Amino acid sequence: MPSGEISKFLKHHFRHFNAATLVEAAEAYRAHLEQGGVMMVTLAGAMSTAELGLSLAEMIRQDKVHAISCTGANLEEDLFNLVAHNHYERIPNWRELTAQDEQRLLERHLNRVTDTCIPEMEAMRRLEAALLEEWEAADRAGERYFPHEFLYRIIRSGKLEPYYQIDPKDSWMVAAAEKNLPIVVPGWEDSTTGNMYAGHCLNGHIKNVHTVRTGIEYMMMLAEWYVETSKQHSIGFFQIGGGIAGDFPICVVPMLHQDMQRPDIPVWGYFCQISDSTTSYGSYSGAVPNEKITWGKLAVDTPKFIIESDASIVAPLMFALVLGW
């Protein structure tokens, strides 16, 4: 493994427990790629607002990530940060806020995500204006695109460039658009831009509600990608957090096996999850990897790792190891 200063530090100090698993999982990630494998990364939580793009964008550029599944929030929040970073406000004492403090943030159109406030006008409405143009144009033309494809069109058009407030090399969505990376966005309706879209359908700006393609179509697209890609490559699964971003795409394998009667399709060839969920509560997000064997997602000999820690800390460190920083 190439050893930059961060990698040397991690390999020297991270020797036991979750720390050791972090290093082992990163080494197995590299080994998977070196053996000709490809990797899907899934993004839950608010990883884009956590500015994971600072490392994830480079992972994409260096072909260490080959597909992404993410929530609608992560899809849009990377671009919110791209165009409105200077207007964000960090709240260091966020645990001490009163209800009245929260109300004052609302009145200033600042939407809080833990310690960070996203500015509505500079971020959300700026992206909405560009999106509405694309939605309406597609609607008039009778064309239909996935949520991420509309954002790719906006990025490639250059419409947002005058508003860039970070270096675009730190935007994972810009990197993904440059690579035309396959993206799956299950439950996109549960996002700010999904709510905007519903509103524009309700007020008649968009005539065909299916101008934005659906989640079922995402599963169909993912199945086609998996079948074709698995002919030449083992496909790994690197899950950041839990929820639908991970649950939805991992099920493509049992769907192909059981519902499509395609037992020839290989299972996922690597699995790692960064999780803070508690297994004993019956959560799927907190399930140990071996449970996935019973669902036909992983094999007995699939390399499996779970790191029970904070993804905003662990993911950049793992990416640093994979990149040799």
Side-chain angles (χ1 to χ4, degrees):
M1 176 184 291
S3 292
E5 291 305 311
I6 298 172
S7 296
K8 289 177 183 176
F9 177 90
L10 294 173
K11 293 187 75 175
H12 182 71
H13 291 279
F14 280 37
R15 300 188 181 202
H16 299 281
F17 318 137
N18 277 300
T21 304
L22 183 159
V23 175
E24 292 162 357
E27 290 176 337
Y29 190 130
R30 285 182 59 90
H32 177 77
L33 298 182
E34 288 166 359
Q35 293 160 13
V38 300
M39 191 69 71
M40 167 171 271
V41 169
T42 78
L43 304 177
M47 296 311 297
S48 288
T49 291
E51 297 188 73
L52 189 64
L54 289 162
S55 53
L56 179 57
E58 188 63 17
M59 288 282 286
I60 293 169
R61 280 192 294 270
Q62 292 199 24
D63 296 316
K64 311 296 187 187
V65 175
H66 305 85
I68 283 179
S69 172
C70 70
T71 57
N74 275 300
L75 190 75
E76 65 199 14
E77 286 177 16
D78 182 79
L79 294 187
F80 291 165
N81 181 60
L82 178 64
V83 301
H85 179 81
N86 297 344
H87 299 278
Y88 278 56
E89 288 194 23
R90 186 162 182 271
I91 312 293
N93 63 330
W94 56 272
R95 289 183 175 88
E96 303 165 20
L97 296 177
T98 66
Q100 290 73 24
D101 291 331
E102 306 278 22
Q103 177 64 30
R104 283 190 284 272
L105 290 173
L106 170 65
E107 290 167 0
R108 295 176 57 209
H109 300 276
L110 291 172
N111 303 112
R112 186 168 70 84
V113 181
T114 312
D115 69 347
T116 303
C117 290
I118 302 175
E120 177 188 340
M121 303 311 295
E122 294 84 359
M124 298 170 183
R125 299 307 167 191
R126 182 163 287 161
L127 184 60
E128 179 185 23
L131 268 173
L132 183 57
E133 288 182 12
E134 293 291 341
W135 289 336
E136 289 182 329
D139 191 52
R140 287 192 300 270
E143 297 171 349
R144 305 177 62 239
Y145 300 101
F146 284 118
H148 76 280
E149 291 178 317
F150 277 108
L151 292 179
Y152 278 1
R153 292 166 71 90
I154 289 169
I155 291 168
R156 291 165 181 160
S157 74
K159 290 178 183 177
L160 295 179
E161 286 185 14
Y163 306 107
Y164 284 3
Q165 294 186 356
I166 64 169
D167 190 326
K169 75 177 179 58
D170 294 330
S171 163
W172 72 261
M173 275 294 293
V174 169
E178 290 170 353
K179 289 282 187 179
N180 200 30
L181 202 75
I183 298 182
V184 177
V185 192
W188 172 77
E189 298 82 358
D190 179 25
S191 67
T192 298
T193 48
N195 293 161
M196 292 170 179
Y197 182 76
H200 287 296
C201 289
L202 284 166
N203 65 23
H205 294 159
I206 298 162
K207 308 302 181 188
N208 179 11
V209 69
H210 295 298
T211 295
V212 174
R213 298 181 68 181
T214 67
I216 295 298
E217 290 174 282
Y218 260 134
M219 179 57 80
M220 294 166 65
M221 180 268 277
L222 176 60
E224 292 169 356
W225 176 84
Y226 195 97
V227 169
E228 288 305 309
T229 304
S230 65
K231 290 177 181 178
Q232 302 292 331
H233 307 278
S234 174
I235 305 174
F237 198 90
F238 184 73
Q239 182 173 346
I240 300 176
I244 195 172
D247 299 351
F248 182 90
I250 202 169
C251 289
V252 71
V253 171
M255 187 270 285
L256 287 164
H257 288 174
Q258 299 165 23
D259 302 317
M260 294 294 293
Q261 298 298 301
R262 291 291 306 274
D264 56 304
I265 301 299
V267 298
W268 298 95
Y270 164 99
F271 178 82
C272 177
Q273 182 184 8
I274 307 168
S275 176
D276 62 1
S277 185
T278 304
T279 307
S280 63
Y281 292 157
S283 70
Y284 178 72
S285 297
V288 295
N290 277 356
E291 184 177 295
K292 294 171 174 59
I293 296 172
T294 73
W295 291 87
K297 299 166 184 174
L298 304 178
V300 171
D301 59 352
T302 302
K304 307 175 191 69
F305 306 90
I306 186 163
I307 305 161
E308 295 179 320
S309 189
D310 183 333
S312 67
I313 297 170
V314 172
L317 293 176
M318 284 195 67
F319 292 161
L321 282 164
V322 173
L323 291 164
W325 286 352

